Amino acid sequence: MKSLLTAFLFLSLTCLHAASPTPPNILFALADDWGYHAGAYGTKWVQTPNFDRVAREGLLFTHAYTPSAKCAPSRACIITGRNPCQLKEAANHICYFPQEFKSWGEALTEHGWFVGFTQKGWGPGEAKDGEGKPRLLTGIAFNQHKAPPPTTGISNNDYAANFSAFLDAAPAGKPWCFWYGSVEPHRGYEYGSGVAKGGKQLTDIDHVPGSWPDNETVRNDMLDYAYEIEHFDRHLGRMLAELEKRGQLANTLIIVTSDNGMPFPRSKGNSGEMPNHLPFAVMWPSHVAKPGRTVDDYISFVDIAPTLMEVAGLEWSATGMAPTVGHSFTSIFRSEKSGIVDATRDHVLIGRERNDIGRPHDEGYPIRGIIKGGYVYLENFEPTRWPAGNPETGYLDCDGSPTKTFILEAHRKDASDIFWQRCFGMRPGEEFYDLGHDPDCLNNLALAPQSNSMQSSLREQLLAELRAQADPRMNGQGAVFDQYLHSNKAHVGFYERYMAGEKIPAPWVNATDFEKK
């Protein structure tokens, strides 16, 4: 009898809790250009104790991917729950954000939430309403607090202090959502800071990706990138401490991730394993069952918006947002399983359209791809174009860096240099990689003489899903993505103007990146 009474009381409390009208607060922490590197994943040369804490006291996801590995299109997927091929102009970098697509920040604001952000929300690009006023896609900006940065490449934004200012401004009894948008580890870096200021050693790095030469220059570049990740992580730690101090940690859903992979050649701005595979940890002390689990389900960034709307208690139809292809992953919160929790989450779609300009007629480099079962399949729709941008205009689809400079200089001395080919050379129409045997994606199995049933299966699944999503590339209308205007008027028509002799600033690359012939 006593056990029955106990069970009844437990069930009653559980039902009451589930029906509670009080939604959680939300802290969404988004680094800028942080690849799949963290202590929780076993990376020795990056120290991320606060990300690791979120994973330890919550969930660590091992297969989280952005659909597009560039800032603006990735962030557009996050805030809308739609893939790039469904976002019109917002599939491109530095675009005019379409008025028809509402963000979850706007939806939460309309439903009584206090929504704010610091530093970088959606962007770069222009987002205005029908009256020409700036849209608050990620809420109200909180950027007033500054602090001396530890290097010349790090922002002076005191992110954690601005989070505290946001909490001070939040109305009592009203749920809030804060977007922590750092600009680290985006370039540029203070060269050698990882060693000189971070106390790191070149030998700390256990693996240099095979796309780049393994030398002092590249290792220093990687350690400088690591040092900026640690800056992001320190501010995350201060935010967690602030929530604890205010007694708000238990009922705050915390998601920590990045927008795209590391800003190195063949990573950020490309499509594949290294550009799209990102760190992802979730913490919600009052709602995550059996914390400390590692989850191997595939998660796409289009799943974030429906997840947040569900935890906010909002039906998607009530948000005014365009239909989503994403699926909420709150069932993973409630489960006690590790590894594969939901076997249907077995793949993600990736791709790109126009990132940075620099090709003739402001054209992009369209790719569609699928990652499933340890394989990567990519279809390059315009293989006669330069994937990283035209050489004569500085390979503008690849940020300037010591690593990029080293590879370009080596190629000028030796035209057969393999690293230039891997990072900047032309690519075939199809690419297919076996991650189990080739994690750096160096051996394109699509070029092998024998046919591969897995490659064919993935291609068929990819194209079927893209057709279902009304991807313009599937009906011969893909050129529309090149026709959408670039929102930085100073760079429109870059290739033609530069080739005609006009000097056009391109501060994200180095002057030596431009090939003379």
Side-chain angles (χ1 to χ4, degrees):
M1 190 71 181
K2 183 177 180 182
S3 62
L4 287 174
L5 180 60
T6 302
F8 173 77
L9 290 173
F10 176 78
L11 181 62
S12 300
L13 288 171
T14 301
C15 293
L16 180 63
H17 184 71
S20 173
T22 304
N25 301 309
I26 298 170
L27 172 59
F28 186 75
L30 189 70
D32 198 354
D33 300 358
W34 175 23
Y36 191 72
H37 306 111
Y41 296 119
T43 309
K44 305 294 186 187
W45 46 279
V46 181
Q47 305 301 313
T48 53
N50 300 296
F51 175 83
D52 300 350
R53 176 192 174 185
V54 172
R56 185 175 62 254
E57 298 181 16
L59 303 171
L60 179 68
F61 290 81
T62 62
H63 290 87
Y65 290 81
T66 176
S68 182
K70 192 73 172 182
C71 298
S74 177
R75 292 161 188 258
C77 296
I78 291 172
I79 63 178
T80 64
R82 293 170 69 83
N83 274 319
C85 65
Q86 302 175 302
L87 285 170
K88 298 184 176 179
E89 292 96 329
N92 292 341
H93 191 57
I94 312 182
C95 70
Y96 295 98
F97 194 90
Q99 294 180 18
E100 66 194 270
F101 300 124
K102 183 184 291 186
S103 71
W104 46 257
E106 292 172 311
L108 290 175
T109 299
E110 290 175 358
H111 284 82
W113 287 58
F114 185 62
V115 182
F117 76 103
T118 190
Q119 191 71 47
K120 187 172 181 178
W122 171 82
E126 184 176 299
K128 293 184 177 179
D129 63 18
E131 298 178 353
K133 298 178 182 178
R135 292 172 61 183
L136 303 181
L137 294 178
T138 52
I140 304 167
F142 284 79
N143 295 316
Q144 61 268 46
H145 293 285
K146 309 296 181 183
T151 74
T152 56
I154 289 177
S155 170
N156 67 349
N157 186 311
D158 191 337
Y159 304 118
N162 285 314
F163 176 54
S164 297
F166 167 82
L167 292 177
D168 289 340
K174 194 173 187 178
W176 54 259
C177 174
F178 187 78
W179 175 299
Y180 163 30
S182 84
V183 288
E184 288 80 35
H186 193 289
R187 291 188 184 275
Y189 305 151
E190 182 180 304
Y191 185 75
S193 57
V195 172
K197 297 182 177 180
K200 301 179 182 298
Q201 300 180 37
L202 299 185
T203 54
D204 291 344
I205 296 174
D206 55 353
H207 175 69
V208 174
S211 299
W212 319 320
D214 185 350
N215 59 34
E216 182 177 337
T217 297
V218 174
R219 284 176 173 256
N220 263 307
D221 206 11
M222 292 174 68
L223 293 179
D224 297 345
Y225 152 83
Y227 187 60
E228 293 215 357
I229 294 170
E230 292 167 2
H231 181 78
F232 164 83
D233 190 75
R234 283 191 293 272
H235 279 271
L236 173 64
R238 289 173 56 193
M239 292 179 188
L240 297 177
E242 185 69 19
L243 289 173
E244 286 182 304
K245 185 178 76 172
R246 295 174 183 248
Q248 297 190 44
L249 184 63
N251 197 36
T252 298
L253 169 63
I254 301 165
I255 297 177
V256 188
T257 187
S258 172
D259 57 358
N260 49 251
M262 58 197 306
F264 282 68
R266 212 183 179 199
S267 182
K268 174 187 176 182
N270 288 267
S271 294
E273 176 66 9
M274 184 161 56
N276 295 76
H277 191 185
L278 300 176
F280 201 93
V282 176
M283 178 180 175
W284 189 6
S286 64
H287 281 71
V288 169
K290 197 177 178 181
R293 287 180 286 133
T294 297
V295 177
D296 297 327
D297 296 30
Y298 281 77
I299 297 293
S300 170
F301 277 9
V302 298
D303 298 327
I304 294 173
T307 299
L308 296 186
M309 293 302 94
E310 182 179 340
V311 301
L314 298 177
E315 293 289 339
W316 192 267
S317 59
T319 65
M321 299 173 69
T324 177
V325 292
H327 300 280
S328 169
F329 48 85
T330 56
S331 61
I332 298 176
F333 300 172
R334 298 187 292 270
S335 172
E336 294 191 353
K337 293 175 63 178
S338 297
I340 301 296
V341 179
D342 180 355
T344 65
R345 293 184 177 274
D346 63 354
H347 72 285
V348 289
L349 301 188
I350 61 174
R352 60 176 284 195
E353 280 296 335
R354 184 179 67 217
N355 290 333
D356 286 308
I357 38 66
R359 299 181 189 84
H361 315 298
D362 291 342
E363 294 171 335
Y365 191 83
I367 302 176
R368 299 293 185 271
I370 183 171
I371 301 179
K372 179 179 181 179
Y375 291 92
V376 179
Y377 172 78
L378 302 173
E379 181 163 346
N380 301 318
F381 285 82
E382 298 288 350
T384 61
R385 298 178 187 174
W386 291 96
N390 278 50
E392 59 271 36
T393 49
Y395 310 92
L396 294 182
D397 253 347
C398 178
D399 294 351
S401 68
T403 298
K404 179 182 180 182
T405 296
F406 187 96
I407 294 172
L408 294 182
E409 290 293 342
H411 178 250
R412 290 162 188 155
K413 296 173 184 176
D414 178 6
S416 65
D417 181 73
I418 189 62
F419 299 110
W420 179 90
Q421 179 58 45
R422 289 171 177 171
C423 295
F424 302 107
M426 294 287 194
R427 296 178 186 167
E430 290 184 292
E431 299 177 64
F432 180 57
Y433 301 102
D434 180 350
L435 295 176
H437 295 90
D438 181 23
D440 289 344
C441 297
L442 303 178
N443 181 23
N444 183 9
L445 298 177
L447 302 177
Q450 69 272 23
S451 61
N452 189 298
S453 60
M454 177 58 75
Q455 177 183 338
S456 299
S457 174
L458 290 180
R459 184 178 191 275
E460 290 175 7
Q461 181 176 354
L462 169 67
L463 298 182
E465 292 193 26
L466 293 176
R467 284 191 288 269
Q469 294 179 21
D471 184 345
R473 291 272 165 207
M474 297 299 100
N475 60 12
Q477 303 298 314
V480 67
F481 292 108
D482 291 333
Q483 295 163 4
Y484 291 131
L485 293 178
H486 191 274
S487 66
N488 184 341
K489 295 181 176 62
H491 285 155
V492 172
F494 189 102
Y495 179 87
E496 287 76 17
R497 291 161 55 197
Y498 180 85
M499 297 303 289
E502 184 177 347
K503 303 299 181 184
I504 310 174
W508 67 97
V509 297
N510 299 327
T512 57
D513 291 352
F514 292 74
E515 301 287 10
K516 295 181 180 179
K517 61 178 179 179

